[in-house]
Amino acid sequence: MTATLRPDLVSQTLESFCRNIFRDRDNYRLIINIDPVGEKVKSIRVLEVCRQYFRNIVFNVPRSPSFPVAVIWCWSSTSSDFVFHLEDDWISVCKIDIYDMIRILKANDTLACLRLSKYDIPRPATVKLLGAHYTYTGDNHFITNSNNQFGLNPVLIKKEFVKQAVPTMSLHSNPEKQFRPSKNDKMNNLINSWRFGLYGVPGGKATVRDNGTLWREKNNFKKPDGSFLVWERSK
């Protein structure tokens, strides 16, 4: 989990995901990077919130904030066969069977991940979402042929993809934007060798909601123009 100094938001995120997805909490380890940016609180406040939900926690509090560094540290600290990537400003809005997601990933060798949808899914079997066409497989998920559809909104990822991705990633650019066709041949080879999925069914409702917009407005933070590396205060 990548997080910043906003304990109330972290609490809302963890409460919703533990209620709806991580119901067997003792089966999970929380790996969290707490960047020193956000509210005027100490990082221990965020860690105290995490301890209300998980017993097994690995944490990092760097000296300076960096979104790409946070993602790379979190992914480098994983060891499980499946990694659920989560940021601190998302809400789970319905119950999800994560074991069904794992089953699907196990059954599809080249499927790197299953994203949760922040949009309602149209009813046709082939739909346009997130700027790409997705086709329903008949088994609780859609698959796209696009190679630019790996994203960091809540997503369950195979360990093999994470292990291949970390060495190709840069510490100096938005990690999500790095998983796009570019001049990085190693990354191009990676995204071209995997397929990307969306968990859901035709006509399904959104399963997650962005919870960060109001916080940013209230606390005068914004994403900088261009590649997002760290939150900036609005002038």
Side-chain angles (χ1 to χ4, degrees):
M1 181 180 189
T2 57
T4 54
L5 299 177
R6 37 188 187 178
D8 289 343
L9 217 60
V10 171
S11 181
Q12 293 171 38
T13 295
L14 291 181
E15 190 283 327
S16 69
F17 277 84
C18 286
R19 170 167 36 87
N20 289 326
I21 302 178
F22 311 139
R23 294 189 288 278
D24 302 322
R25 273 182 243 177
D26 288 343
N27 291 339
Y28 297 90
R29 176 174 62 155
L30 177 64
I31 298 171
I32 182 169
N33 183 92
I34 307 169
D35 270 354
V37 63
E39 300 169 14
K40 293 181 179 179
V41 298
K42 296 185 179 297
S43 58
I44 189 64
R45 284 276 306 279
V46 176
L47 195 56
E48 288 170 349
V49 168
C50 295
R51 286 172 174 156
Q52 296 175 20
Y53 296 95
F54 292 96
R55 295 180 182 179
N56 191 352
I57 300 174
V58 177
F59 67 92
N60 181 50
V61 183
R63 292 186 177 182
S64 58
S66 168
F67 185 38
V69 172
V71 171
I72 292 170
W73 180 85
C74 285
W75 287 11
S76 299
S77 302
T78 62
S79 59
S80 299
D81 290 339
F82 300 95
V83 176
F84 194 97
H85 178 86
L86 182 61
E87 296 165 5
D88 65 354
D89 54 1
W90 287 93
I91 296 291
S92 168
V93 298
C94 65
K95 293 193 181 301
I96 294 290
D97 185 351
I98 196 168
Y99 298 107
D100 188 50
M101 297 177 72
I102 290 172
R103 175 191 64 78
I104 293 168
L105 289 174
K106 284 182 174 180
N108 294 271
D109 290 342
T110 61
L111 185 59
C113 63
L114 287 171
R115 298 172 75 170
L116 298 183
S117 181
K118 60 182 177 180
Y119 302 112
D120 292 345
I121 302 174
R123 290 195 176 276
T126 297
V127 300
K128 187 170 184 180
L129 284 172
L130 305 166
H133 287 94
Y134 283 80
T135 300
Y136 186 57
T137 64
D139 187 22
N140 294 341
H141 68 290
F142 294 76
I143 289 181
T144 180
N145 287 324
S146 173
N147 65 355
N148 69 350
Q149 283 297 294
F150 181 80
L152 294 179
N153 55 285
V155 57
L156 183 65
I157 319 169
K158 279 181 179 170
K159 174 180 67 176
E160 292 89 344
F161 183 84
V162 170
K163 288 177 65 176
Q164 293 172 24
V166 167
T168 70
M169 295 176 69
S170 168
L171 299 173
H172 308 294
S173 62
N174 184 335
E176 193 163 49
K177 302 299 184 185
Q178 293 183 45
F179 292 94
R180 303 290 182 267
S182 67
K183 296 180 180 179
N184 183 340
D185 290 337
K186 290 183 178 180
M187 183 61 77
N188 290 338
N189 290 336
L190 175 68
I191 60 177
N192 287 328
S193 62
W194 290 90
R195 302 185 74 188
F196 306 101
L198 181 76
Y199 189 69
V201 298
K205 296 293 185 182
T207 52
V208 291
R209 173 172 55 83
D210 182 353
N211 195 36
T213 302
L214 289 177
W215 181 90
R216 292 195 297 271
E217 293 174 352
K218 178 181 178 181
N219 292 276
N220 296 317
F221 277 90
K222 67 173 184 176
K223 286 186 177 181
D225 296 333
S227 184
F228 171 54
L229 301 180
V230 63
W231 294 113
E232 293 181 354
R233 283 199 177 274
S234 302
K235 295 181 180 180

